[in-house]
Amino acid sequence: MAARYTGDIFDFSGMTDDELYDAVVQHLQEHPELDAGWIEVRVDAGHVTLSGRVGADSEISVAEQVVTEIMGIQEFTNELMVDELHRGQAPEAADDSVMLDMETDSQMGDANDNQSDTASHLVEDVAGQMYGTHSVQEAVEEGASYTPPDRPMGEGYGSRESH
């Protein structure tokens, strides 16, 4: 039996609760990083509710993205809970596991490797902060802590001139 809904796929106003339920379940099942069998979908008067148990917070995020970003449903109820005992397991066979990873990666989109590291100045120098520097000049210029040398240093240290 054909559905009576004929129109824009993202316009759910003309769909019955059963048709909307089928659409949400289908979209959730298209994402291999979700164990959609553990996610219960309820639709009441056009309002979607997701409930059940998932293995990680990332699965909750993916389910929310499917409903909001892919399907365009902005108002829904999310009752999903993370259950530490319910973790998705990768297949034991290496080739099956690689295929699953490739399928998941293809749905996530390609990584943009051409991006520059515009936040490189925000990277912290943990060793420098913990141990400081032996150079007075570097301590003044960079605001690093100064650690005096542990042994006497002669003038011209590091130069190639003979004194």
Side-chain angles (χ1 to χ4, degrees):
M1 177 176 182
R4 30 184 197 99
Y5 178 73
T6 57
D8 184 13
I9 192 166
F10 295 111
D11 181 20
F12 298 109
S13 60
M15 286 186 159
T16 65
D17 286 349
D18 291 336
E19 292 169 334
L20 183 55
Y21 168 85
D22 291 338
V24 172
V25 169
Q26 178 185 355
H27 281 284
L28 289 173
Q29 289 174 343
E30 290 175 359
H31 292 270
E33 63 271 20
L34 286 177
D35 192 355
W38 287 88
I39 298 176
E40 180 184 339
V41 178
R42 293 187 314 270
V43 180
D44 184 31
H47 184 79
V48 176
T49 301
L50 301 178
S51 62
R53 299 187 184 279
V54 294
D57 289 327
S58 61
E59 291 184 55
I60 293 176
S61 298
V62 170
E64 288 175 346
Q65 288 176 353
V66 167
V67 173
T68 59
E69 296 176 16
I70 295 175
M71 299 188 70
I73 300 172
Q74 297 304 319
E75 294 185 25
F76 71 100
T77 303
N78 184 353
E79 298 174 353
L80 292 172
M81 294 175 41
V82 176
D83 184 357
E84 295 174 359
L85 299 177
H86 176 76
R87 299 272 189 224
Q89 295 181 354
E92 288 183 28
D95 54 347
D96 291 342
S97 181
V98 168
M99 288 302 295
L100 180 64
D101 287 344
M102 288 173 52
E103 186 177 327
T104 302
D105 290 344
S106 69
Q107 290 186 0
M108 294 299 210
D110 295 330
N112 188 356
D113 295 332
N114 296 328
Q115 291 183 353
S116 65
D117 188 10
T118 56
S120 61
H121 65 283
L122 298 176
V123 176
E124 295 183 30
D125 179 17
V126 177
Q129 290 176 356
M130 286 178 58
Y131 305 114
T133 180
H134 295 295
S135 167
V136 175
Q137 183 176 356
E138 188 177 316
V140 171
E141 288 175 354
E142 296 181 13
S145 60
Y146 173 71
T147 305
D150 56 352
R151 62 188 184 292
M153 305 301 257
E155 289 293 318
Y157 173 74
S159 71
R160 297 183 182 181
E161 299 175 7
S162 100
H163 295 275

